[in-house]
Amino acid sequence: MDKFEIIKKNKAPKDLRFANYLIDNFIFLLLYIFIGVLFFIKDEMYMNSIFYNNEIVIGFYYVLYMFLLEVLFKGRSLGKFITRTKVITLHGGVPTKRQYLARSLIRIIPFEPFSFFREVGGSHDLWTNTRVVKAQSFDQDIEYFISIDSIGEKKHQRDSL
């Protein structure tokens, strides 16, 4: 079994992806309301200001929220922690900050959240060459793959002596 087969085997199913979406958006909404209430207590005009009640600004906050979470937690948002999934590259590694940023920006495209119902996955996966996998089983399979691979390398080194 190679890395691509391991990724395919451990691909997060659509119900987990949908759960990630719901959980992340619910937590974002709670955080957004909480911050809004804090500012409202300080300044009543804040709730009607451009910094709170504007779709573009809300989109910016959402991009920032998802980007920071995935960067800080290496491919895991709060929803992904709860569903035990994570983001990886097509080669099984940790995505770059650029990939995380692109994933976050793509998420604000209208109707993009429904794109993960396709067989290939969400647009934010497809366009950034990333995938979402079940974290624990993926990590175990990769560890096993690496240990088998290293046994082959040791045997090859011993044979060449």
Side-chain angles (χ1 to χ4, degrees):
M1 182 181 296
D2 65 9
K3 285 185 181 181
F4 299 109
E5 290 170 357
I6 292 170
I7 293 168
K8 189 174 180 179
K9 174 186 168 206
N10 291 289
K11 184 179 169 189
K14 293 174 185 168
D15 60 339
L16 285 181
R17 300 295 306 272
F18 190 60
N20 289 343
Y21 173 75
L22 291 176
I23 294 165
D24 286 331
N25 279 284
F26 180 73
I27 293 170
F28 173 76
L29 181 64
L30 289 178
L31 185 64
Y32 187 73
I33 291 170
F34 177 74
I35 290 170
V37 168
L38 286 178
F39 279 101
F40 181 72
I41 291 168
K42 185 177 178 184
D43 181 8
E44 290 182 33
M45 298 297 291
Y46 178 76
M47 293 299 251
N48 293 322
S49 76
I50 192 170
F51 295 107
Y52 189 76
N53 202 8
N54 181 311
E55 290 177 14
I56 294 171
V57 174
I58 294 169
F60 172 77
Y61 290 152
Y62 186 71
V63 167
L64 185 63
Y65 167 78
M66 292 303 295
F67 172 72
L68 289 174
L69 284 177
E70 287 190 340
V71 167
L72 292 173
F73 298 116
K74 295 186 174 129
R76 299 183 88 174
S77 63
L78 298 175
K80 289 180 186 75
F81 270 111
I82 292 169
T83 62
R84 297 183 177 140
T85 57
K86 70 178 182 177
V87 179
I88 59 164
T89 65
L90 288 180
H91 301 288
V94 176
T96 64
K97 288 179 184 172
R98 179 178 278 177
Q99 285 174 303
Y100 289 134
L101 180 60
R103 285 175 58 82
S104 299
L105 287 168
I106 292 166
R107 282 186 175 105
I108 62 172
I109 295 172
F111 302 108
E112 194 283 331
F114 302 107
S115 67
F116 68 83
F117 285 117
R118 297 180 307 197
E119 194 57 39
V120 291
S123 298
H124 60 278
D125 294 335
L126 193 61
W127 297 344
T128 59
N129 295 319
T130 58
R131 296 294 180 264
V132 176
V133 294
K134 296 176 279 183
Q136 186 175 6
S137 59
F138 173 78
D139 291 342
Q140 288 172 344
D141 287 350
I142 286 293
E143 190 175 309
Y144 180 75
F145 172 77
I146 291 170
S147 67
I148 293 295
D149 201 37
S150 68
I151 291 170
E153 285 179 17
K154 289 176 186 174
K155 183 181 182 322
H156 177 71
Q157 288 173 351
R158 201 173 48 232
D159 290 345
S160 64
L161 292 177

